[in-house]
Amino acid sequence: MGKGRLLLFPLPFQGHINPMLQLANILHSKGFNITIIHTSFNSPNISNYPHFTFESFSEDTLAGYDTSLLGNVKNVILLLNLVNKVWIDPFHDCVKRLLSNSSVEDPIRCLIPDATLYFTQAVTDLLKLPRIVLRTSSLCSFHVFHSFPLLLQKGYLSIEDSQSEAPVPEVPQLKVKDLSSTFKIERDALHVMLLAIMSGTKAASGLIWNSFEELEQSILPTIQKEFPIPNFTIGPFHKYFTASASSLLEQDQTALSWLDMQAPHSVLYVSFGSLAAIDKTEFFEMAWGLANSKQKFLWVVRPGVIRGSEWLEPFPVGLLEAVSERGHIVKWAPQQEVLAHPATTCFWSHCGWNSTLESICEGVPMICSPSFGDQMTNARYVEAVWKVGLVLENGMEREEITSAIRRVVVEQEGKEMKMRMSCLKEKVNTCLMEGGSSYRSLESLVNFILSF
Ligand code: UDX
């Protein structure tokens, strides 16, 4: 007899689907049967997971939802609040059905939803099913989100000079100006959502993190106080199983064949993940900054990343030529392989947590252009705590971009960042080995689930 079945429920966005499906693979390798609950919105590619069962519900609750709206982060928050309302009943019916069809040989042990799907708490309470949440961000950024009511109350979010460089002692490493981009969207909707996520997380039986103890040691005791439930830091997930199978977009393999033709440590990789968007002026500044840096680069320009454009139409002909001489542009890349490629030397990133962790695991220093949410905190930790990259302080500005590329790729400062990144990479390898922190935490998680 196996160890029983787990129901996993990802938030249907790329940055959340990847870690949830990696977690599914990890737990499957530990002997659990897996059912992934999903909807037709950003549905995972089922054929890549023949070893899992998939259960779809609520086909029509988001029918007609215009996904191009998601280019604006405000709409992501509104969509999150919406799904936390409209999915309650169909999700409840789905889990109830699964429970009544389950057998003694294959009992359902618990639900593991994304922590942002806070409505699931009410459902599992009703059905008396244990619930362990997966938080896909870093611990440090979740602490900042947890501090939102305090920061609001202390008046940091209404400081007139929202570009102030003043520190915020309540959330060390962050500056006042970082708070306005962290919480820049629909304050009221965001407030409601954060309160609900925090109380839904505290009410869970346990909390799983895609991170590792050695990386976030400084914040771990605070998180344990804020969330006094068993915390399992079992990451980085993609070192057990890659995310390629859960990619919603086709990964352009020419990225790798192009890298194969480049010298070792010579290419800057540029990508801003699946949601962040920029305007045309910012795009031109990026292109000029890259062209003027005289470095080789691999640039992911995701369709829709430039607001108001399909793909590369905003490029003036001369600039496109200047850029093409040194660079290769793709719509979506096999990112983990790109970062692991010997030709890659630096990652210019929006600092989504998956991207940050993937860069750390491959020992690649970073240039950070955070856009919203957790990205600002991740970027500050990259620069000030781990000291493995630097933040572009003035948004997209060609001179600053060119100078940052020089600092990280060419100068001594960059070599030191690379050395510190290599140390972190070593720590990743150790934490996953038998007896390492993530290895032990995963063992505890398995025993915890078996105790239900
Ligand atoms: C979102 C939020 O923006 C991010 O801040 C949060 O931490 C998670 O949810 P996203 O913007 O997509 O995620 O960024 P990130 O977390 O970096 O995830 C992107 C994933 O897509 C990574 O696993 C990366 O490997 C993959 N990817 C990215 C590709 O496979 N190809 C690409 O070209 C770019």
Side-chain angles (χ1 to χ4, degrees), residues 14-16 18 251 269 271 274-275 300 332-333 335 350 352-355 358 374-375:
Q14 185 73 77
H16 293 252
N18 284 358
Q251 297 178 323
Y269 171 58
S271 172
S274 64
L275 289 175
V300 175
W332 195 244
Q335 179 162 303
H350 70 312
W353 184 238
N354 296 292
S355 293
E358 288 162 14
D374 61 335
Q375 299 157 15

mmCIF file with all atom_site columns, all heavy atoms in Angstrom, residues 14-16 18 251 269 271 274-275 300 332-333 335 350 352-355 358 374-375, ligand 1:
data_model
loop_
_atom_site.group_PDB
_atom_site.id
_atom_site.type_symbol
_atom_site.label_atom_id
_atom_site.label_alt_id
_atom_site.label_comp_id
_atom_site.label_asym_id
_atom_site.label_entity_id
_atom_site.label_seq_id
_atom_site.pdbx_PDB_ins_code
_atom_site.Cartn_x
_atom_site.Cartn_y
_atom_site.Cartn_z
_atom_site.occupancy
_atom_site.B_iso_or_equiv
_atom_site.pdbx_formal_charge
_atom_site.auth_seq_id
_atom_site.auth_comp_id
_atom_site.auth_asym_id
_atom_site.auth_atom_id
_atom_site.pdbx_PDB_model_num
ATOM   1   N N   . GLN A 1 14  ? 2.150  31.388 -14.048 1.00 0.00 ? 14  GLN A N   1
ATOM   2   C CA  . GLN A 1 14  ? 3.395  30.656 -14.293 1.00 0.00 ? 14  GLN A CA  1
ATOM   3   C C   . GLN A 1 14  ? 4.300  30.562 -13.059 1.00 0.00 ? 14  GLN A C   1
ATOM   4   O O   . GLN A 1 14  ? 4.818  29.503 -12.734 1.00 0.00 ? 14  GLN A O   1
ATOM   5   C CB  . GLN A 1 14  ? 4.169  31.315 -15.452 1.00 0.00 ? 14  GLN A CB  1
ATOM   6   C CG  . GLN A 1 14  ? 5.398  30.554 -15.861 1.00 0.00 ? 14  GLN A CG  1
ATOM   7   C CD  . GLN A 1 14  ? 5.065  29.274 -16.619 1.00 0.00 ? 14  GLN A CD  1
ATOM   8   O OE1 . GLN A 1 14  ? 4.718  29.305 -17.792 1.00 0.00 ? 14  GLN A OE1 1
ATOM   9   N NE2 . GLN A 1 14  ? 5.160  28.138 -15.958 1.00 0.00 ? 14  GLN A NE2 1
ATOM   10  N N   . GLY A 1 15  ? 4.481  31.719 -12.366 1.00 0.00 ? 15  GLY A N   1
ATOM   11  C CA  . GLY A 1 15  ? 5.400  31.769 -11.231 1.00 0.00 ? 15  GLY A CA  1
ATOM   12  C C   . GLY A 1 15  ? 4.899  30.937 -10.038 1.00 0.00 ? 15  GLY A C   1
ATOM   13  O O   . GLY A 1 15  ? 5.644  30.706 -9.085  1.00 0.00 ? 15  GLY A O   1
ATOM   14  N N   . HIS A 1 16  ? 3.647  30.512 -10.068 1.00 0.00 ? 16  HIS A N   1
ATOM   15  C CA  . HIS A 1 16  ? 3.074  29.700 -8.987  1.00 0.00 ? 16  HIS A CA  1
ATOM   16  C C   . HIS A 1 16  ? 2.873  28.251 -9.441  1.00 0.00 ? 16  HIS A C   1
ATOM   17  O O   . HIS A 1 16  ? 2.996  27.324 -8.635  1.00 0.00 ? 16  HIS A O   1
ATOM   18  C CB  . HIS A 1 16  ? 1.735  30.295 -8.538  1.00 0.00 ? 16  HIS A CB  1
ATOM   19  C CG  . HIS A 1 16  ? 1.878  31.628 -7.865  1.00 0.00 ? 16  HIS A CG  1
ATOM   20  N ND1 . HIS A 1 16  ? 1.695  31.805 -6.516  1.00 0.00 ? 16  HIS A ND1 1
ATOM   21  C CD2 . HIS A 1 16  ? 2.224  32.836 -8.351  1.00 0.00 ? 16  HIS A CD2 1
ATOM   22  C CE1 . HIS A 1 16  ? 1.911  33.078 -6.203  1.00 0.00 ? 16  HIS A CE1 1
ATOM   23  N NE2 . HIS A 1 16  ? 2.226  33.723 -7.309  1.00 0.00 ? 16  HIS A NE2 1
ATOM   24  N N   . ASN A 1 18  ? 4.767  26.590 -11.590 1.00 0.00 ? 18  ASN A N   1
ATOM   25  C CA  . ASN A 1 18  ? 6.063  25.885 -11.610 1.00 0.00 ? 18  ASN A CA  1
ATOM   26  C C   . ASN A 1 18  ? 6.400  25.283 -10.247 1.00 0.00 ? 18  ASN A C   1
ATOM   27  O O   . ASN A 1 18  ? 6.606  24.063 -10.151 1.00 0.00 ? 18  ASN A O   1
ATOM   28  C CB  . ASN A 1 18  ? 7.192  26.820 -12.061 1.00 0.00 ? 18  ASN A CB  1
ATOM   29  C CG  . ASN A 1 18  ? 7.183  27.076 -13.562 1.00 0.00 ? 18  ASN A CG  1
ATOM   30  O OD1 . ASN A 1 18  ? 6.345  26.515 -14.263 1.00 0.00 ? 18  ASN A OD1 1
ATOM   31  N ND2 . ASN A 1 18  ? 8.077  27.908 -14.043 1.00 0.00 ? 18  ASN A ND2 1
ATOM   32  N N   . GLN A 1 251 ? 9.126  27.024 -24.980 1.00 0.00 ? 251 GLN A N   1
ATOM   33  C CA  . GLN A 1 251 ? 10.481 27.546 -24.750 1.00 0.00 ? 251 GLN A CA  1
ATOM   34  C C   . GLN A 1 251 ? 11.294 27.428 -26.028 1.00 0.00 ? 251 GLN A C   1
ATOM   35  O O   . GLN A 1 251 ? 11.405 26.339 -26.590 1.00 0.00 ? 251 GLN A O   1
ATOM   36  C CB  . GLN A 1 251 ? 11.144 26.767 -23.605 1.00 0.00 ? 251 GLN A CB  1
ATOM   37  C CG  . GLN A 1 251 ? 10.404 26.940 -22.287 1.00 0.00 ? 251 GLN A CG  1
ATOM   38  C CD  . GLN A 1 251 ? 11.021 26.144 -21.149 1.00 0.00 ? 251 GLN A CD  1
ATOM   39  O OE1 . GLN A 1 251 ? 11.489 25.033 -21.349 1.00 0.00 ? 251 GLN A OE1 1
ATOM   40  N NE2 . GLN A 1 251 ? 10.998 26.693 -19.957 1.00 0.00 ? 251 GLN A NE2 1
ATOM   41  N N   . TYR A 1 269 ? 22.043 37.422 -19.601 1.00 0.00 ? 269 TYR A N   1
ATOM   42  C CA  . TYR A 1 269 ? 20.694 36.910 -19.868 1.00 0.00 ? 269 TYR A CA  1
ATOM   43  C C   . TYR A 1 269 ? 19.682 37.902 -19.300 1.00 0.00 ? 269 TYR A C   1
ATOM   44  O O   . TYR A 1 269 ? 19.789 38.327 -18.136 1.00 0.00 ? 269 TYR A O   1
ATOM   45  C CB  . TYR A 1 269 ? 20.534 35.526 -19.217 1.00 0.00 ? 269 TYR A CB  1
ATOM   46  C CG  . TYR A 1 269 ? 19.127 34.983 -19.236 1.00 0.00 ? 269 TYR A CG  1
ATOM   47  C CD1 . TYR A 1 269 ? 18.447 34.815 -20.435 1.00 0.00 ? 269 TYR A CD1 1
ATOM   48  C CD2 . TYR A 1 269 ? 18.464 34.651 -18.062 1.00 0.00 ? 269 TYR A CD2 1
ATOM   49  C CE1 . TYR A 1 269 ? 17.141 34.324 -20.466 1.00 0.00 ? 269 TYR A CE1 1
ATOM   50  C CE2 . TYR A 1 269 ? 17.164 34.147 -18.077 1.00 0.00 ? 269 TYR A CE2 1
ATOM   51  C CZ  . TYR A 1 269 ? 16.512 33.997 -19.287 1.00 0.00 ? 269 TYR A CZ  1
ATOM   52  O OH  . TYR A 1 269 ? 15.227 33.516 -19.304 1.00 0.00 ? 269 TYR A OH  1
ATOM   53  N N   . SER A 1 271 ? 15.586 38.706 -18.655 1.00 0.00 ? 271 SER A N   1
ATOM   54  C CA  . SER A 1 271 ? 14.187 38.267 -18.701 1.00 0.00 ? 271 SER A CA  1
ATOM   55  C C   . SER A 1 271 ? 13.432 38.810 -17.496 1.00 0.00 ? 271 SER A C   1
ATOM   56  O O   . SER A 1 271 ? 13.959 38.847 -16.387 1.00 0.00 ? 271 SER A O   1
ATOM   57  C CB  . SER A 1 271 ? 14.097 36.742 -18.694 1.00 0.00 ? 271 SER A CB  1
ATOM   58  O OG  . SER A 1 271 ? 12.742 36.359 -18.548 1.00 0.00 ? 271 SER A OG  1
ATOM   59  N N   . SER A 1 274 ? 6.891  36.265 -16.187 1.00 0.00 ? 274 SER A N   1
ATOM   60  C CA  . SER A 1 274 ? 5.656  36.046 -16.945 1.00 0.00 ? 274 SER A CA  1
ATOM   61  C C   . SER A 1 274 ? 4.619  37.149 -16.790 1.00 0.00 ? 274 SER A C   1
ATOM   62  O O   . SER A 1 274 ? 3.618  37.155 -17.497 1.00 0.00 ? 274 SER A O   1
ATOM   63  C CB  . SER A 1 274 ? 5.041  34.713 -16.507 1.00 0.00 ? 274 SER A CB  1
ATOM   64  O OG  . SER A 1 274 ? 4.658  34.790 -15.149 1.00 0.00 ? 274 SER A OG  1
ATOM   65  N N   . LEU A 1 275 ? 4.831  38.107 -15.860 1.00 0.00 ? 275 LEU A N   1
ATOM   66  C CA  . LEU A 1 275 ? 3.778  39.105 -15.637 1.00 0.00 ? 275 LEU A CA  1
ATOM   67  C C   . LEU A 1 275 ? 4.233  40.548 -15.792 1.00 0.00 ? 275 LEU A C   1
ATOM   68  O O   . LEU A 1 275 ? 3.456  41.392 -16.243 1.00 0.00 ? 275 LEU A O   1
ATOM   69  C CB  . LEU A 1 275 ? 3.205  38.953 -14.208 1.00 0.00 ? 275 LEU A CB  1
ATOM   70  C CG  . LEU A 1 275 ? 2.352  37.723 -13.925 1.00 0.00 ? 275 LEU A CG  1
ATOM   71  C CD1 . LEU A 1 275 ? 1.975  37.683 -12.445 1.00 0.00 ? 275 LEU A CD1 1
ATOM   72  C CD2 . LEU A 1 275 ? 1.085  37.718 -14.764 1.00 0.00 ? 275 LEU A CD2 1
ATOM   73  N N   . VAL A 1 300 ? 14.913 37.826 -23.443 1.00 0.00 ? 300 VAL A N   1
ATOM   74  C CA  . VAL A 1 300 ? 13.550 37.303 -23.578 1.00 0.00 ? 300 VAL A CA  1
ATOM   75  C C   . VAL A 1 300 ? 12.605 38.496 -23.658 1.00 0.00 ? 300 VAL A C   1
ATOM   76  O O   . VAL A 1 300 ? 12.431 39.229 -22.676 1.00 0.00 ? 300 VAL A O   1
ATOM   77  C CB  . VAL A 1 300 ? 13.158 36.416 -22.369 1.00 0.00 ? 300 VAL A CB  1
ATOM   78  C CG1 . VAL A 1 300 ? 11.694 35.982 -22.470 1.00 0.00 ? 300 VAL A CG1 1
ATOM   79  C CG2 . VAL A 1 300 ? 14.072 35.206 -22.270 1.00 0.00 ? 300 VAL A CG2 1
ATOM   80  N N   . TRP A 1 332 ? 10.438 33.341 -25.332 1.00 0.00 ? 332 TRP A N   1
ATOM   81  C CA  . TRP A 1 332 ? 10.416 32.619 -24.037 1.00 0.00 ? 332 TRP A CA  1
ATOM   82  C C   . TRP A 1 332 ? 11.557 31.609 -24.088 1.00 0.00 ? 332 TRP A C   1
ATOM   83  O O   . TRP A 1 332 ? 11.772 30.983 -25.135 1.00 0.00 ? 332 TRP A O   1
ATOM   84  C CB  . TRP A 1 332 ? 9.070  31.908 -23.866 1.00 0.00 ? 332 TRP A CB  1
ATOM   85  C CG  . TRP A 1 332 ? 8.736  31.418 -22.486 1.00 0.00 ? 332 TRP A CG  1
ATOM   86  C CD1 . TRP A 1 332 ? 8.564  30.125 -22.110 1.00 0.00 ? 332 TRP A CD1 1
ATOM   87  C CD2 . TRP A 1 332 ? 8.479  32.204 -21.310 1.00 0.00 ? 332 TRP A CD2 1
ATOM   88  N NE1 . TRP A 1 332 ? 8.217  30.058 -20.774 1.00 0.00 ? 332 TRP A NE1 1
ATOM   89  C CE2 . TRP A 1 332 ? 8.159  31.324 -20.261 1.00 0.00 ? 332 TRP A CE2 1
ATOM   90  C CE3 . TRP A 1 332 ? 8.491  33.572 -21.025 1.00 0.00 ? 332 TRP A CE3 1
ATOM   91  C CZ2 . TRP A 1 332 ? 7.861  31.742 -18.961 1.00 0.00 ? 332 TRP A CZ2 1
ATOM   92  C CZ3 . TRP A 1 332 ? 8.191  33.997 -19.735 1.00 0.00 ? 332 TRP A CZ3 1
ATOM   93  C CH2 . TRP A 1 332 ? 7.884  33.097 -18.732 1.00 0.00 ? 332 TRP A CH2 1
ATOM   94  N N   . ALA A 1 333 ? 12.301 31.483 -23.042 1.00 0.00 ? 333 ALA A N   1
ATOM   95  C CA  . ALA A 1 333 ? 13.520 30.647 -23.082 1.00 0.00 ? 333 ALA A CA  1
ATOM   96  C C   . ALA A 1 333 ? 13.422 29.479 -22.098 1.00 0.00 ? 333 ALA A C   1
ATOM   97  O O   . ALA A 1 333 ? 12.645 29.539 -21.142 1.00 0.00 ? 333 ALA A O   1
ATOM   98  C CB  . ALA A 1 333 ? 14.717 31.517 -22.692 1.00 0.00 ? 333 ALA A CB  1
ATOM   99  N N   . GLN A 1 335 ? 14.641 28.761 -19.262 1.00 0.00 ? 335 GLN A N   1
ATOM   100 C CA  . GLN A 1 335 ? 15.435 29.620 -18.353 1.00 0.00 ? 335 GLN A CA  1
ATOM   101 C C   . GLN A 1 335 ? 16.437 28.857 -17.485 1.00 0.00 ? 335 GLN A C   1
ATOM   102 O O   . GLN A 1 335 ? 17.572 29.292 -17.309 1.00 0.00 ? 335 GLN A O   1
ATOM   103 C CB  . GLN A 1 335 ? 14.500 30.465 -17.474 1.00 0.00 ? 335 GLN A CB  1
ATOM   104 C CG  . GLN A 1 335 ? 15.259 31.339 -16.502 1.00 0.00 ? 335 GLN A CG  1
ATOM   105 C CD  . GLN A 1 335 ? 14.428 32.464 -15.961 1.00 0.00 ? 335 GLN A CD  1
ATOM   106 O OE1 . GLN A 1 335 ? 13.902 33.274 -16.719 1.00 0.00 ? 335 GLN A OE1 1
ATOM   107 N NE2 . GLN A 1 335 ? 14.306 32.548 -14.651 1.00 0.00 ? 335 GLN A NE2 1
ATOM   108 N N   . HIS A 1 350 ? 13.723 40.707 -13.202 1.00 0.00 ? 350 HIS A N   1
ATOM   109 C CA  . HIS A 1 350 ? 12.726 41.466 -12.418 1.00 0.00 ? 350 HIS A CA  1
ATOM   110 C C   . HIS A 1 350 ? 12.693 40.977 -10.963 1.00 0.00 ? 350 HIS A C   1
ATOM   111 O O   . HIS A 1 350 ? 11.971 41.533 -10.143 1.00 0.00 ? 350 HIS A O   1
ATOM   112 C CB  . HIS A 1 350 ? 11.347 41.307 -13.057 1.00 0.00 ? 350 HIS A CB  1
ATOM   113 C CG  . HIS A 1 350 ? 10.777 39.917 -12.908 1.00 0.00 ? 350 HIS A CG  1
ATOM   114 N ND1 . HIS A 1 350 ? 11.503 38.769 -13.188 1.00 0.00 ? 350 HIS A ND1 1
ATOM   115 C CD2 . HIS A 1 350 ? 9.564  39.474 -12.493 1.00 0.00 ? 350 HIS A CD2 1
ATOM   116 C CE1 . HIS A 1 350 ? 10.757 37.698 -12.963 1.00 0.00 ? 350 HIS A CE1 1
ATOM   117 N NE2 . HIS A 1 350 ? 9.576  38.108 -12.543 1.00 0.00 ? 350 HIS A NE2 1
ATOM   118 N N   . GLY A 1 352 ? 11.492 38.096 -9.686  1.00 0.00 ? 352 GLY A N   1
ATOM   119 C CA  . GLY A 1 352 ? 10.467 37.160 -9.210  1.00 0.00 ? 352 GLY A CA  1
ATOM   120 C C   . GLY A 1 352 ? 11.211 36.099 -8.404  1.00 0.00 ? 352 GLY A C   1
ATOM   121 O O   . GLY A 1 352 ? 12.401 35.855 -8.641  1.00 0.00 ? 352 GLY A O   1
ATOM   122 N N   . TRP A 1 353 ? 10.531 35.449 -7.466  1.00 0.00 ? 353 TRP A N   1
ATOM   123 C CA  . TRP A 1 353 ? 11.268 34.561 -6.572  1.00 0.00 ? 353 TRP A CA  1
ATOM   124 C C   . TRP A 1 353 ? 11.860 33.360 -7.311  1.00 0.00 ? 353 TRP A C   1
ATOM   125 O O   . TRP A 1 353 ? 12.986 32.935 -7.041  1.00 0.00 ? 353 TRP A O   1
ATOM   126 C CB  . TRP A 1 353 ? 10.416 34.122 -5.386  1.00 0.00 ? 353 TRP A CB  1
ATOM   127 C CG  . TRP A 1 353 ? 11.207 33.278 -4.423  1.00 0.00 ? 353 TRP A CG  1
ATOM   128 C CD1 . TRP A 1 353 ? 10.931 32.014 -4.015  1.00 0.00 ? 353 TRP A CD1 1
ATOM   129 C CD2 . TRP A 1 353 ? 12.453 33.640 -3.774  1.00 0.00 ? 353 TRP A CD2 1
ATOM   130 N NE1 . TRP A 1 353 ? 11.912 31.562 -3.149  1.00 0.00 ? 353 TRP A NE1 1
ATOM   131 C CE2 . TRP A 1 353 ? 12.853 32.546 -2.987  1.00 0.00 ? 353 TRP A CE2 1
ATOM   132 C CE3 . TRP A 1 353 ? 13.255 34.781 -3.793  1.00 0.00 ? 353 TRP A CE3 1
ATOM   133 C CZ2 . TRP A 1 353 ? 14.012 32.549 -2.217  1.00 0.00 ? 353 TRP A CZ2 1
ATOM   134 C CZ3 . TRP A 1 353 ? 14.421 34.783 -3.030  1.00 0.00 ? 353 TRP A CZ3 1
ATOM   135 C CH2 . TRP A 1 353 ? 14.786 33.687 -2.256  1.00 0.00 ? 353 TRP A CH2 1
ATOM   136 N N   . ASN A 1 354 ? 11.101 32.798 -8.286  1.00 0.00 ? 354 ASN A N   1
ATOM   137 C CA  . ASN A 1 354 ? 11.658 31.634 -9.002  1.00 0.00 ? 354 ASN A CA  1
ATOM   138 C C   . ASN A 1 354 ? 12.929 32.030 -9.733  1.00 0.00 ? 354 ASN A C   1
ATOM   139 O O   . ASN A 1 354 ? 13.933 31.318 -9.681  1.00 0.00 ? 354 ASN A O   1
ATOM   140 C CB  . ASN A 1 354 ? 10.638 31.079 -10.007 1.00 0.00 ? 354 ASN A CB  1
ATOM   141 C CG  . ASN A 1 354 ? 9.399  30.550 -9.315  1.00 0.00 ? 354 ASN A CG  1
ATOM   142 O OD1 . ASN A 1 354 ? 9.450  29.551 -8.620  1.00 0.00 ? 354 ASN A OD1 1
ATOM   143 N ND2 . ASN A 1 354 ? 8.289  31.254 -9.465  1.00 0.00 ? 354 ASN A ND2 1
ATOM   144 N N   . SER A 1 355 ? 12.891 33.184 -10.405 1.00 0.00 ? 355 SER A N   1
ATOM   145 C CA  . SER A 1 355 ? 14.071 33.622 -11.156 1.00 0.00 ? 355 SER A CA  1
ATOM   146 C C   . SER A 1 355 ? 15.253 33.853 -10.216 1.00 0.00 ? 355 SER A C   1
ATOM   147 O O   . SER A 1 355 ? 16.389 33.463 -10.507 1.00 0.00 ? 355 SER A O   1
ATOM   148 C CB  . SER A 1 355 ? 13.772 34.901 -11.935 1.00 0.00 ? 355 SER A CB  1
ATOM   149 O OG  . SER A 1 355 ? 12.837 34.630 -12.938 1.00 0.00 ? 355 SER A OG  1
ATOM   150 N N   . GLU A 1 358 ? 16.566 30.537 -9.045  1.00 0.00 ? 358 GLU A N   1
ATOM   151 C CA  . GLU A 1 358 ? 17.218 29.801 -10.137 1.00 0.00 ? 358 GLU A CA  1
ATOM   152 C C   . GLU A 1 358 ? 18.608 30.390 -10.403 1.00 0.00 ? 358 GLU A C   1
ATOM   153 O O   . GLU A 1 358 ? 19.560 29.678 -10.687 1.00 0.00 ? 358 GLU A O   1
ATOM   154 C CB  . GLU A 1 358 ? 16.333 29.847 -11.392 1.00 0.00 ? 358 GLU A CB  1
ATOM   155 C CG  . GLU A 1 358 ? 15.080 28.972 -11.249 1.00 0.00 ? 358 GLU A CG  1
ATOM   156 C CD  . GLU A 1 358 ? 13.958 29.278 -12.240 1.00 0.00 ? 358 GLU A CD  1
ATOM   157 O OE1 . GLU A 1 358 ? 14.200 29.997 -13.240 1.00 0.00 ? 358 GLU A OE1 1
ATOM   158 O OE2 . GLU A 1 358 ? 12.822 28.808 -12.009 1.00 0.00 ? 358 GLU A OE2 1
ATOM   159 N N   . ASP A 1 374 ? 6.560  41.160 -4.343  1.00 0.00 ? 374 ASP A N   1
ATOM   160 C CA  . ASP A 1 374 ? 7.722  40.600 -3.640  1.00 0.00 ? 374 ASP A CA  1
ATOM   161 C C   . ASP A 1 374 ? 9.061  40.950 -4.286  1.00 0.00 ? 374 ASP A C   1
ATOM   162 O O   . ASP A 1 374 ? 10.115 40.777 -3.673  1.00 0.00 ? 374 ASP A O   1
ATOM   163 C CB  . ASP A 1 374 ? 7.591  39.066 -3.567  1.00 0.00 ? 374 ASP A CB  1
ATOM   164 C CG  . ASP A 1 374 ? 7.546  38.410 -4.940  1.00 0.00 ? 374 ASP A CG  1
ATOM   165 O OD1 . ASP A 1 374 ? 7.156  39.076 -5.912  1.00 0.00 ? 374 ASP A OD1 1
ATOM   166 O OD2 . ASP A 1 374 ? 7.894  37.218 -5.039  1.00 0.00 ? 374 ASP A OD2 1
ATOM   167 N N   . GLN A 1 375 ? 9.025  41.438 -5.534  1.00 0.00 ? 375 GLN A N   1
ATOM   168 C CA  . GLN A 1 375 ? 10.279 41.602 -6.295  1.00 0.00 ? 375 GLN A CA  1
ATOM   169 C C   . GLN A 1 375 ? 11.233 42.622 -5.669  1.00 0.00 ? 375 GLN A C   1
ATOM   170 O O   . GLN A 1 375 ? 12.448 42.450 -5.677  1.00 0.00 ? 375 GLN A O   1
ATOM   171 C CB  . GLN A 1 375 ? 9.946  41.987 -7.744  1.00 0.00 ? 375 GLN A CB  1
ATOM   172 C CG  . GLN A 1 375 ? 9.122  40.908 -8.450  1.00 0.00 ? 375 GLN A CG  1
ATOM   173 C CD  . GLN A 1 375 ? 8.307  41.415 -9.621  1.00 0.00 ? 375 GLN A CD  1
ATOM   174 O OE1 . GLN A 1 375 ? 8.545  42.519 -10.116 1.00 0.00 ? 375 GLN A OE1 1
ATOM   175 N NE2 . GLN A 1 375 ? 7.327  40.629 -10.064 1.00 0.00 ? 375 GLN A NE2 1
HETATM 176 C C1  . UDX B 2 .   ? 5.176  35.875 -10.335 1.00 0.00 ? 1   UDX B C1  1
HETATM 177 C C2  . UDX B 2 .   ? 5.616  37.172 -9.668  1.00 0.00 ? 1   UDX B C2  1
HETATM 178 O O1  . UDX B 2 .   ? 5.815  38.174 -10.621 1.00 0.00 ? 1   UDX B O1  1
HETATM 179 C C3  . UDX B 2 .   ? 6.839  36.927 -8.833  1.00 0.00 ? 1   UDX B C3  1
HETATM 180 O O2  . UDX B 2 .   ? 7.278  38.138 -8.258  1.00 0.00 ? 1   UDX B O2  1
HETATM 181 C C4  . UDX B 2 .   ? 6.489  35.930 -7.753  1.00 0.00 ? 1   UDX B C4  1
HETATM 182 O O3  . UDX B 2 .   ? 7.628  35.674 -6.960  1.00 0.00 ? 1   UDX B O3  1
HETATM 183 C C5  . UDX B 2 .   ? 5.982  34.647 -8.398  1.00 0.00 ? 1   UDX B C5  1
HETATM 184 O O4  . UDX B 2 .   ? 4.905  34.932 -9.276  1.00 0.00 ? 1   UDX B O4  1
HETATM 185 P P1  . UDX B 2 .   ? 6.880  35.662 -12.473 1.00 0.00 ? 1   UDX B P1  1
HETATM 186 O O5  . UDX B 2 .   ? 6.790  37.102 -12.717 1.00 0.00 ? 1   UDX B O5  1
HETATM 187 O O6  . UDX B 2 .   ? 6.492  34.804 -13.585 1.00 0.00 ? 1   UDX B O6  1
HETATM 188 O O7  . UDX B 2 .   ? 6.124  35.227 -11.135 1.00 0.00 ? 1   UDX B O7  1
HETATM 189 O O8  . UDX B 2 .   ? 8.436  35.407 -12.108 1.00 0.00 ? 1   UDX B O8  1
HETATM 190 P P2  . UDX B 2 .   ? 9.239  34.204 -11.504 1.00 0.00 ? 1   UDX B P2  1
HETATM 191 O O9  . UDX B 2 .   ? 8.855  33.943 -10.094 1.00 0.00 ? 1   UDX B O9  1
HETATM 192 O O10 . UDX B 2 .   ? 10.637 34.544 -11.748 1.00 0.00 ? 1   UDX B O10 1
HETATM 193 O O11 . UDX B 2 .   ? 8.816  32.923 -12.358 1.00 0.00 ? 1   UDX B O11 1
HETATM 194 C C6  . UDX B 2 .   ? 9.034  32.803 -13.728 1.00 0.00 ? 1   UDX B C6  1
HETATM 195 C C7  . UDX B 2 .   ? 9.223  31.336 -14.091 1.00 0.00 ? 1   UDX B C7  1
HETATM 196 O O12 . UDX B 2 .   ? 9.126  31.244 -15.503 1.00 0.00 ? 1   UDX B O12 1
HETATM 197 C C8  . UDX B 2 .   ? 10.580 30.783 -13.684 1.00 0.00 ? 1   UDX B C8  1
HETATM 198 O O13 . UDX B 2 .   ? 10.448 29.485 -13.155 1.00 0.00 ? 1   UDX B O13 1
HETATM 199 C C9  . UDX B 2 .   ? 11.374 30.757 -14.987 1.00 0.00 ? 1   UDX B C9  1
HETATM 200 O O14 . UDX B 2 .   ? 12.303 29.697 -15.079 1.00 0.00 ? 1   UDX B O14 1
HETATM 201 C C10 . UDX B 2 .   ? 10.283 30.604 -16.016 1.00 0.00 ? 1   UDX B C10 1
HETATM 202 N N1  . UDX B 2 .   ? 10.691 31.256 -17.278 1.00 0.00 ? 1   UDX B N1  1
HETATM 203 C C11 . UDX B 2 .   ? 10.879 32.604 -17.315 1.00 0.00 ? 1   UDX B C11 1
HETATM 204 C C12 . UDX B 2 .   ? 10.898 30.475 -18.393 1.00 0.00 ? 1   UDX B C12 1
HETATM 205 O O15 . UDX B 2 .   ? 10.742 29.247 -18.347 1.00 0.00 ? 1   UDX B O15 1
HETATM 206 N N2  . UDX B 2 .   ? 11.274 31.110 -19.535 1.00 0.00 ? 1   UDX B N2  1
HETATM 207 C C13 . UDX B 2 .   ? 11.469 32.444 -19.635 1.00 0.00 ? 1   UDX B C13 1
HETATM 208 O O16 . UDX B 2 .   ? 11.818 32.927 -20.724 1.00 0.00 ? 1   UDX B O16 1
HETATM 209 C C14 . UDX B 2 .   ? 11.262 33.227 -18.481 1.00 0.00 ? 1   UDX B C14 1
#
